[in-house]
Amino acid sequence: MNQIKVIVAGPRGRMGQEALRMIEKEEGFELVGCIDRKHDGALVRDIEGLPNLEALIYTDAEACLRDVGADVLVDLTTPDYAYKHTKLALENGVRPVVGTTGYTKEQLDEVTQLAEDKQLGAVIAPNFAVGAVLMMQFSKWAAKHFPDVEIIEKHHDQKLDAPSGTAAKTAELIQEVREPHHQGHPEEKETIQGARGADVDGIKIHSMRLPGLVAHQEVVFGGLGQTLTIKHDSHHRESFMTGVKLAAEQVMNLDTLVYGLEHLLD
Ligand SMILES: NC(=O)C1=CN([C@@H]2O[C@H](COP(=O)(O)OP(=O)(O)OC[C@H]3O[C@@H](n4cnc5c(N)ncnc54)[C@H](OP(=O)(O)O)[C@@H]3O)[C@@H](O)[C@H]2O)C=CC1
Ligand SMILES: O=C(O)C1=N[C@H](C(=O)O)C[C@H](O)C1
């Protein structure tokens, strides 16, 4: 069997560690390098808490992407670095699978064009949990019938970006089927700034950050005499690994960038 050779960027992070454990377990993958901010030249297995894997750690992302002969980069870092790593990967013939959230529309357009120019597959997925992907798709469907909708996303308190990539993507999917309009009373006023949340064409997004949470979202629709709530909870980061695995396999058959795991699910 030809193993898919993978680089992980962000191996010490919460998601990076989970991805290393998945790669260690899956026969179809081989870890060939890691991109980190520390430990240049060390082996993954020598870093406390990381699995018993031989791959070398690089602090120079370009050297890693150029030298280790990888097929796929799995990026789980921070928004600015994910963008840089994605471009470097495509320029070095490595297919990016990006879970890092916080991409701007302009950055997404730029890397989509780069993947097109290089005719290389790439996957950027704000959420790799299959349940969350279904929650987003069901929400798009529901919005056709319930155009008044608010999104409540809840995450652990170490999260850097708000709103979450999942909430932003949910709003984007709903925008495809919902006419922009103001929700609530036309003359409503916030007496404390931010009380009504962020606004995407009238769709409100509320972000909660608390210790004890992992990743949770409720999409609440209101209609005449009824509400509908579509809810998803990731209780553990293992929930994202089915999607990371699927994306790292499927990206090998793509020659463009896809944004969202839904494009890879039947
Ligand atoms: N798509 C999905 O399904 C999911 C996406 N995410 C997203 O994944 C990203 C990571 O989340 P999470 O693991 O919780 O975050 P963490 O903060 O736990 O991990 C990020 C890691 O990236 C490292 N890092 C920062 N800059 C660089 C760099 N230049 N090169 C290499 N590594 C770097 C950090 O190192 P240091 O500790 O030294 O700062 C840290 O170890 C976030 O954007 C999050 O929103 C999270 C869960 C699911
Ligand atoms: O930072 C996280 O934890 C998560 N980030 C992603 C997001 O921003 O949507 C996916 C998931 O919600 C976990």
Side-chain angles (χ1 to χ4, degrees), residues 9-16 35-38 58-59 75-79 81 85 98-102 125-129 156 158-161 165-166 215 237 240 244:
R12 285 176 299 109
R14 288 173 288 266
M15 279 292 283
I35 300 169
D36 199 351
R37 296 198 309 148
K38 296 181 185 169
Y58 290 71
T59 51
D75 190 284
L76 299 158
T77 58
T78 59
Y81 281 101
H85 294 161
V98 181
T100 311
T101 48
N127 203 313
F128 281 118
H156 57 94
Q158 298 305 300
K159 185 162 177 60
L160 292 176
D161 53 318
T166 307
R237 290 182 179 83
F240 304 113
V244 174

Side-chain angles (χ1 to χ4, degrees), residues 4 10-11 14 28 50 52 91 96 111 136 141-142 159 165-166 171 182-183 206-207 260:
I4 298 173
R14 288 173 288 266
L50 299 193
N52 186 20
E91 279 154 8
V111 294
M136 288 187 260
W141 184 21
K159 185 162 177 60
T166 307
H182 175 83
Q183 292 182 186
H206 310 272
S207 297

Side-chain angles (χ1 to χ4, degrees), residues 21-252:
R21 284 192 280 274
M22 184 274 287
I23 290 167
E24 187 183 30
K25 222 168 48 193
E26 291 294 333
E27 285 184 3
F29 295 132
E30 182 193 356
L31 186 76
V32 291
C34 281
I35 300 169
D36 199 351
R37 296 198 309 148
K38 296 181 185 169
H39 306 302
D40 192 38
L43 292 176
V44 168
R45 66 163 188 230
D46 296 334
I47 309 304
E48 203 190 329
L50 299 193
N52 186 20
L53 291 162
E54 284 277 337
L56 260 185
I57 298 174
Y58 290 71
T59 51
D60 181 341
E62 185 158 20
C64 183
L65 287 157
R66 189 186 56 220
D67 295 345
V68 304
D71 301 304
V72 173
L73 163 73
V74 173
D75 190 284
L76 299 158
T77 58
T78 59
D80 286 352
Y81 281 101
Y83 166 62
K84 285 182 192 148
H85 294 161
T86 304
K87 287 202 298 182
L88 280 173
L90 289 167
E91 279 154 8
N92 285 279
V94 179
R95 293 169 154 81
V97 168
V98 181
T100 311
T101 48
Y103 256 76
T104 64
K105 168 93 177 65
E106 291 70 30
Q107 289 173 337
L108 198 56
D109 289 346
E110 190 187 337
V111 294
T112 301
Q113 187 58 54
L114 186 57
E116 185 87 35
D117 294 346
K118 300 281 180 189
Q119 298 209 309
L120 272 178
V123 178
I124 299 183
N127 203 313
F128 281 118
V130 174
V133 177
L134 293 175
M135 175 259 297
M136 288 187 260
Q137 294 297 313
F138 296 157
S139 299
K140 179 178 176 180
W141 184 21
K144 282 188 183 172
H145 306 281
F146 291 88
D148 281 18
V149 48
E150 307 215 358
I151 300 170
I152 306 163
E153 58 97 340
K154 307 173 195 179
H155 281 83
H156 57 94
D157 63 352
Q158 298 305 300
K159 185 162 177 60
L160 292 176
D161 53 318
S164 69
T166 307
K169 170 92 183 173
T170 308
E172 202 181 297
L173 289 169
I174 291 174
Q175 278 178 303
E176 290 174 21
V177 298
R178 173 189 174 277
E179 286 301 318
H181 67 272
H182 175 83
Q183 292 182 186
H185 196 287
E187 288 165 27
E188 77 179 1
K189 285 204 172 50
E190 289 181 335
T191 54
I192 298 178
Q193 198 189 349
R196 291 288 289 123
D199 191 295
V200 179
D201 279 349
I203 305 167
K204 300 293 183 184
I205 305 182
H206 310 272
S207 297
M208 196 184 280
R209 298 290 177 263
L210 286 172
L213 293 171
V214 178
H216 317 263
Q217 181 167 295
E218 287 172 39
V219 188
V220 187
F221 298 87
L224 282 179
Q226 59 184 320
T227 59
L228 167 68
T229 303
I230 301 175
K231 181 170 182 284
H232 176 261
D233 297 279
S234 272
H235 300 290
H236 191 286
R237 290 182 179 83
E238 266 184 333
S239 62
F240 304 113
M241 292 305 129
T242 322
V244 174
K245 175 177 180 285
L246 179 75
E249 289 165 350
Q250 295 288 317
V251 76
M252 298 302 294

